[in-house]
């Protein structure tokens, strides 16, 4: 007689394996055959940032554990689909979800299980796993260039919109790395850093006209890479000489950069937000396309993204020019298109998106809402944008604060008055952990 074993469903994310996972799986095994519902990047992106390890690697870890019979993907944070498909006799989950923002999901699971008399087993959550050891291990894994490079592409395929903020030094990199804001039980954070030619140059007291060469730009970004794990998008101006591009790409990939953004301009560079763009010249689309192709051929990994930035609206050309360029750049291999604008509203970039969406050469769109800053991310998403770059806000915030501190000391001939408006030294020391 064939004994039908009970089915036990265990949902897991498993970015790195620890004793808590083993405790859960060991308990689950006592009830029958363990089927792990491994949360996909998309499922996890709904409530926190995606794991460091790719799905395939996480699957490999879990599949080879002796307590596990089978691993299937759980594509959403909601359990309904998998539970109805498997109809497990038991579901095992740590009891921590009783107390946090997953309460609602938990009660829905209980209701579904009731349909076939399934039971929820909740072992006590394993505390006191050495989180600092785990944190430093994660840091090591996450900062390996091959893991960091691919992270942006993974974020773009698993999130509705990827949110990037300008970073001009290690300290701003740390803000982007660590800041989390909770709203309606959902944690939001920045997904990565923008190495801006404008703010990197300004920080070094130089104009945004490529006077900072690529070696200085790479040295600045390496400082940020030393202390962060999140992906970085590199502003390469017009990319420089076609023949030099392979060397630039090699250096960027070696540093762990995830994407290059290259603008279709030639001649002495002028920042696109300047009102007067006389003298600014756009490159011929076919010539610029050659640069895109060159990068595609020279990159080591297809996870390193080439983003073509169209300046048609900046130089006063219209939608037609922008659209024809978008098709040419996409055919040449661009993974995404940044359609730049210095208007006060997103109307022109939205009309571009609407038309470009109809093309079979459509690729994800990138927005830099510096002048049309009233736009909400939800509107960008609705219009087909996948990446938003807040390109200069941290430097703009820091500069007046520092200017004011300096001015106050001069005016008062002492530092006491400004003391109340600036953070204590202790906080600066704590900010930089050295464990
Ligand atoms: C930058 O931040 O350097 C950019 C965006 O390229 S913009 O300043 O709008 O040109
Ligand atoms: Mg720039």
């Amino acid at each position: 007689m064939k004994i039908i074993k009970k089915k036990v469903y265990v949902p897991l994310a498993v970015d790195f394996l620890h004793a808590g996972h083993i405790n859960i799986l060991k308990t689950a095994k006592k009830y029958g055959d363990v089927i792990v519902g491994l949360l996909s990047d998309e499922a996890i992106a709904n409530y926190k940032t995606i794991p460091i390890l790719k799905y395939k690697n996480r699957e490999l870890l879990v599949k080879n554990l002796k307590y596990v019979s089978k691993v299937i993907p759980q594509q959403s944070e909601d359990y309904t689909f998998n539970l109805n498909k498997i109809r497990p006799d038991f579901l095992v989950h740590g009891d921590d979800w009783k107390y946090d923002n997953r309460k609602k999901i938990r009660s829905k699971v209980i209701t579904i299980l009731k349909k076939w008399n399934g039971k929820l087993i909740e072992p006590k959550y394993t505390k006191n796993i050495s989180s600092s050891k785990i944190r430093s291990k994660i840091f090591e894994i996450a900062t390996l260039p091959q893991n960091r490079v691919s992270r942006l592409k993974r974020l773009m395929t698993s999130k509705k919109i990827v949110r990037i903020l300008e970073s001009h030094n290690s300290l701003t990199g740390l803000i982007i790395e660590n800041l989390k804001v909770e709203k309606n039980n959902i944690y939001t954070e920045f997904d990565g850093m923008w190495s801006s030619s404008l703010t990197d140059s300004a920080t070094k007291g130089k104009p945004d006209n490529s006077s900072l060469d690529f070696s200085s730009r790479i040295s600045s970004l390496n400082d940020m890479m030393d202390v962060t794990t999140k992906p970085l998008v590199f502003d390469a101006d017009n990319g420089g000489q076609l023949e030099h591009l392979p060397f630039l790409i090699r250096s960027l990939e070696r540093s762990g950069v995830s994407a290059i953004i290259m603008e279709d301009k030639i001649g002495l560079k002028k920042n696109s937000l300047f009102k007067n763009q006389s003298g600014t010249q756009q490159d011929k689309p076919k010539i610029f396309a050659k640069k895109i192709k060159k990068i595609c051929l020279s990159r080591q990994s297809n996870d390193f993204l080439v983003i073509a930035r169209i300046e048609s609206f900046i130089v006063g050309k219209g939608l037609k020019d922008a659209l024809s360029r978008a098709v040419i750049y996409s055919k040449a291999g661009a993974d995404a298109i940044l359609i730049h604008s210095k208007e006060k509203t997103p109307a022109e970039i939205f009309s571009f998106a609407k038309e470009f969406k109809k093309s079979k050469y459509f690729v994800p769109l990138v927005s830099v809402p510096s002048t049309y800053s009233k736009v909400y991310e939800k509107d960008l998403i609705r219009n087909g944008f996948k990446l938003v770059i807040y390109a200069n806000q941290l430097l703009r915030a820091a500069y007046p604060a520092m200017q004011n501190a300096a001015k106050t000391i001069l005016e008062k001939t002492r530092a006491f008055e400004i003391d109340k408006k600036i953070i204590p030294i202790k906080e600066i020391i704590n900010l930089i952990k050295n464990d």
Side-chain angles (χ1 to χ4, degrees), residues 10 74 123 127 170 193 195 239 251-252 261 265 273 275 306 313 355 358 382 389-390 394 397 405 410 425:
V10 183
Q74 182 172 319
K127 285 195 200 133
S170 302
M193 301 170 278
S195 165
S251 304
L252 293 177
I261 298 195
K265 287 199 298 212
L273 301 178
K275 211 172 176 163
V306 187
F313 290 138
E355 290 307 312
K358 295 178 193 157
R382 198 161 353 102
I389 301 176
Y390 298 99
L394 290 188
L410 277 185
I425 294 166

Side-chain angles (χ1 to χ4, degrees), residues 153 242 245-250 253 260 262 288-308 328-336 363:
K153 190 173 188 176
L242 175 88
L245 272 171
F247 303 109
L248 172 64
I249 301 307
R250 198 175 299 166
E253 278 189 276
I260 180 172
M262 198 169 62
F288 188 70
K290 280 193 183 154
K291 287 188 173 177
I292 298 172
K293 278 190 196 138
K294 189 81 167 177
I295 300 178
C296 292
L297 286 174
S298 50
R299 65 183 165 190
Q300 269 176 19
S301 153
N302 285 342
D303 290 347
F304 176 86
L305 304 179
V306 187
I307 303 178
I328 294 169
Y329 301 165
S330 166
K331 275 189 194 166
D335 297 292
V363 285

